[in-house]
Amino acid sequence: MARVLLLPGDGIGPEVTEEARQVLVRVAPDLELQEGRIGGCAIDADGTPLSEASLAKARACGLVLLGAVGGPKWDGLAPEQRPEKGLLRIRKELGLFANLRPARVLDALADASPLRREAVAGVDLIVVRELTGGIYYGEPRGRSDEDGARRALNTMVYDEDEVARIARVAFEIAKGRRKRVTNIHKANVLEVCQLWNEVVEEVARDYPEVELEHQLVDSAAMLLLRDAARFDVLLCPNLFGDILSDEAAMLTGSLGMLASASLGAPGRGLFEPVHGSAPDIAGQDKANPLGAILSVAMLLEHGLARSREAERVRQAVEQVLDQGYRTPDLVRGPQGLGVGTREMGKRVREALG
Ligand code: NAD
């Protein structure tokens, strides 16, 4: 039986994770759910942002549904002891090398985008970002100070196996979507991107049904603002994916709606809303639980290969928004049906039937 570990975390994390949990139980009643602590609540209870016990549970389950970590109570701690360290540790221990961030503009929420409705209508893309290599981890790195002249360097480095495995993730996802991968690079000036592109083309030969195009990262940044609906799957090195996934997210204009997944070997993945712990609204039944609920859809699709159930969850979310229900962070719909966290979760479960 597949097992999923719930790590609700801090702030609004427990509120949105509870609604997500109930959705998961409704669509996949056969799963075994366990619970653990991460972040500030774990610092308070266990003296560390991720205890060995929670980590052991995460390893045993393989699949983790997370809320959010952090808050003002723990802001003063030394960097090594802060709540985010728990997140970094779990990502590393589970070997999560692929980060998936979908950006989909739902018709009911198109007016929440900072861009005109016409510019974002029909946007439905996913950024696949390499997460454990590239310039954030490359050696040599560091600073020096010689005779008063300061110097710093970082290194963007990829070996072919790292590129091939993230490319495969992108092509596999594209197979189940509109069958188009846009490879993001800067090969006109970076040798590392020349190798990256070469390997991506080699992997593409195994996916003749998927169309591959290459796009310079600077022009991709422009195209996202002008014509994002043309994109299906964007395959990115770590640095470019970090930046473009935030840009793509802004097209939707609704932080509380955004889901994400980080994947490792088959059966290993962490699924979480993009937002943080939102201490300003925690405990007030105001948080939008849809990002967490859509993370459940990602868990079903990418963690458990249950695409049909994933689609049921996405459709239930869409239906509830089409009916006009909105948490306070969302632009009011035509009917202006304002609801809280719990009511929104309940409406989604009702829409699931
Ligand atoms: P945040 O995402 O928590 O909040 C930003 C703004 O968006 C706030 O006004 C908040 O009320 C609102 N918001 C966020 N999620 C919402 C939701 N689901 N429904 C309605 N409104 C929502 O970012 P922040 O304020 O910069 O950070 C707060 C804390 O969260 C910090 O401690 C930060 O370190 C942490 N954080 C954690 C994660 C994570 O766990 N992955 C990510 C980002 C920030």
Side-chain angles (χ1 to χ4, degrees), residues 19-321:
E19 301 312 315
R21 183 190 69 79
Q22 291 192 42
V23 167
L24 185 57
V25 168
R26 179 72 67 101
V27 293
D30 57 308
L31 296 178
E32 182 188 320
L33 302 184
Q34 299 191 3
E35 197 154 327
R37 281 188 289 267
I38 191 167
C41 64
I43 294 174
D44 291 349
D46 311 317
T48 164
L50 184 70
S51 67
E52 289 305 321
S54 288
L55 195 54
K57 279 187 194 172
R59 282 200 204 96
C61 293
L63 301 174
V64 178
L65 183 66
L66 191 132
V69 300
K73 181 174 177 194
W74 305 282
D75 278 350
L77 293 174
E80 275 314 300
Q81 296 155 3
R82 288 173 58 101
E84 303 86 295
K85 280 284 161 196
L87 257 182
L88 296 178
R89 174 122 198 255
I90 199 166
R91 285 181 186 145
K92 183 160 180 275
E93 295 283 337
L94 291 180
L96 308 178
F97 65 85
N99 183 245
L100 276 45
R101 291 258 302 259
R104 188 158 168 239
V105 175
L106 300 176
D107 191 50
L109 296 181
D111 292 321
S113 173
L115 299 186
R116 288 191 319 277
R117 175 178 268 273
E118 310 84 81
V120 293
V123 169
D124 181 4
L125 61 85
I126 181 163
V127 177
V128 176
R129 165 186 169 194
E130 199 288 323
L131 199 57
T132 52
I135 197 163
Y136 295 164
Y137 299 94
E139 297 282 350
R141 62 187 298 154
R143 287 178 62 130
S144 59
D145 191 344
E146 276 171 37
D147 303 327
R150 289 170 297 168
R151 191 165 182 269
L153 93 155
N154 291 93
T155 306
M156 183 160 172
V157 53
Y158 276 111
D159 67 44
E160 59 178 311
D161 295 342
E162 280 176 297
V163 182
R165 72 177 179 175
I166 188 74
R168 284 193 191 285
V169 171
F171 280 95
E172 286 293 331
I173 290 172
K175 254 174 39 178
R177 295 175 47 102
R178 301 198 308 280
K179 303 186 174 49
R180 187 182 169 101
V181 169
T182 304
N183 174 50
I184 306 298
H185 68 96
K186 191 73 185 168
N188 52 343
V189 285
L190 298 176
E191 283 81 358
V192 60
C193 288
Q194 290 162 13
L195 172 71
W196 175 284
N197 291 3
E198 240 171 78
V199 177
V200 168
E201 281 178 14
E202 286 159 19
V203 171
R205 286 187 207 127
D206 294 339
Y207 298 87
E209 71 277 43
V210 178
E211 184 195 339
L212 169 66
E213 65 163 358
H214 298 284
Q215 193 67 249
L216 286 165
V217 61
D218 39 351
S219 57
M222 289 197 289
L223 282 168
L224 274 174
L225 298 184
R226 208 180 60 204
D227 186 17
R230 72 193 291 287
F231 292 120
D232 181 17
V233 176
L234 284 96
L235 166 61
C236 303
N238 202 343
L239 171 67
F240 303 157
D242 192 4
I243 298 166
L244 292 190
S245 60
D246 270 14
E247 186 187 351
M250 271 313 288
L251 299 175
T252 72
S254 320
L255 181 60
M257 296 288 306
L258 296 168
S260 79
S262 301
L263 307 179
R268 299 219 151 205
L270 177 80
F271 305 84
E272 56 181 325
V274 169
H275 62 74
S277 60
D280 51 334
I281 56 166
Q284 299 171 39
D285 195 37
K286 283 184 182 163
N288 183 349
L290 296 180
I293 289 172
L294 291 169
S295 300
V296 164
M298 295 195 83
L299 188 155
L300 290 163
E301 177 145 15
H302 303 290
L304 294 161
R306 298 189 190 182
S307 311
R308 216 163 40 87
E309 282 92 339
E311 190 51 30
R312 268 183 72 204
V313 173
R314 284 192 289 262
Q315 280 179 4
V317 167
E318 237 170 289
Q319 187 180 323
V320 168
L321 291 168

